Amino acid sequence: MTMTDRNILLVQSSARTDASTSRRLAAALADRLGGTVTLRDVAPGSDFVDGDWVSANFTPAPERSDAQRDRLSGSDALVAEIAAADTLIIGLPIYNFGMPATLKAWIDQIARAGVTFRYTENGPEGLMKGKKAYIVVASGGTEAFGEIDFATPHLRHVLGFIGITDVEVIRADRQMIRGEDAVLDAEAAISAIAA
Ligand SMILES: Cc1cc2nc3c(=O)[nH]c(=O)nc-3n(C[C@H](O)[C@H](O)[C@H](O)COP(=O)(O)O)c2cc1C
């Protein structure tokens, strides 16, 4: 793939803007990879799944009412962004040992039975195949993939569940412990990926 024909979906989730490590590094990776970048900033919040959403989702598409179609339109748009991308870059701050609630809300909108995954006789099958994902994780003291990190393994698992199994993790973790090395190491990893 050349730089110009790459389609990147950049998913940002930090509640912070200018001071955010995950935003800065994820954007830097998008910039270094090059191509068309679509920004999906989930920090302002997405629709929450509730009973109406679930019934709309489980109603076969041709039988959905206008209200049900309307209720799923936001989710449809988020799924379409993933379908159109060949590369996902997700900024992941660790909040209270998990991912930000806003990022989880996005996941609940894009994990759609029959759309991004399906159940087969052999178990679930992801339908968003042939894509590459990068997770840029930032934390204060929690080690990425350590036993109290419920954010990175969760996000990586969900990506695999929808068919995106080629996932690379860039770590700016334990910034309060490692100091500026945390960011310098992540920047070096980004340079190595882009090279
Ligand atoms: C609400 C909140 C909860 C946090 N919880 C954790 C945590 O559980 N573990 C941790 O290591 N750091 C935690 N932090 C620190 C952030 O992970 C760290 O500041 C990281 O750089 C945030 O990403 P950002 O720089 O992209 O905003 C928390 C920060 C906030 C704002």
Side-chain angles (χ1 to χ4, degrees):
M1 196 179 306
T2 66
M3 275 181 74
T4 44
D5 62 13
R6 196 189 296 270
N7 264 313
I8 298 173
L9 177 61
L10 174 61
V11 180
Q12 297 281 28
S13 67
S14 173
R16 306 197 289 176
T17 50
D18 295 350
S20 162
T21 301
S22 64
R23 277 183 191 267
R24 187 169 64 74
L25 293 172
L29 176 58
D31 195 49
R32 295 287 296 275
L33 287 177
T36 305
V37 180
T38 301
L39 173 64
R40 170 52 53 193
D41 190 344
V42 303
S46 316
D47 192 13
F48 278 155
V49 164
D50 64 7
D52 287 344
W53 190 97
V54 174
S55 354
N57 189 35
F58 282 101
T59 303
E63 294 166 29
R64 281 179 196 141
S65 66
D66 287 348
Q68 286 181 316
R69 265 194 290 278
D70 189 46
R71 185 60 201 276
L72 294 177
S73 62
S75 165
D76 292 340
L78 295 176
V79 169
E81 285 178 348
I82 297 176
D86 45 66
T87 306
L88 272 74
I89 301 174
I90 305 178
L92 172 66
I94 297 184
Y95 283 178
N96 301 314
F97 314 104
M99 67 179 76
T102 51
L103 187 59
K104 178 58 166 55
W106 176 78
I107 281 175
D108 290 345
Q109 293 297 317
I110 59 99
R112 293 265 306 270
V115 181
T116 56
F117 69 93
R118 68 178 170 201
Y119 289 106
T120 71
E121 285 175 358
N122 304 318
E125 180 193 3
L127 300 175
M128 299 280 103
K129 290 184 180 140
K131 302 177 192 298
K132 165 103 193 179
Y134 299 91
I135 297 172
V136 181
V137 58
S139 77
T142 303
E143 182 181 10
F145 291 111
E147 66 176 12
I148 56 169
D149 171 18
F150 300 96
T152 330
H154 184 181
L155 181 58
R156 188 175 64 174
H157 181 82
V158 172
L159 290 171
F161 185 73
I162 64 167
I164 306 173
T165 51
D166 184 359
V167 182
E168 206 166 323
V169 178
I170 295 117
R171 306 163 183 226
D173 62 337
R174 292 175 293 153
Q175 294 170 82
M176 300 302 284
I177 296 163
R178 296 164 65 207
E180 66 179 18
D181 281 354
V183 168
L184 291 174
D185 287 356
E187 284 172 345
I190 288 168
S191 293
I193 289 164

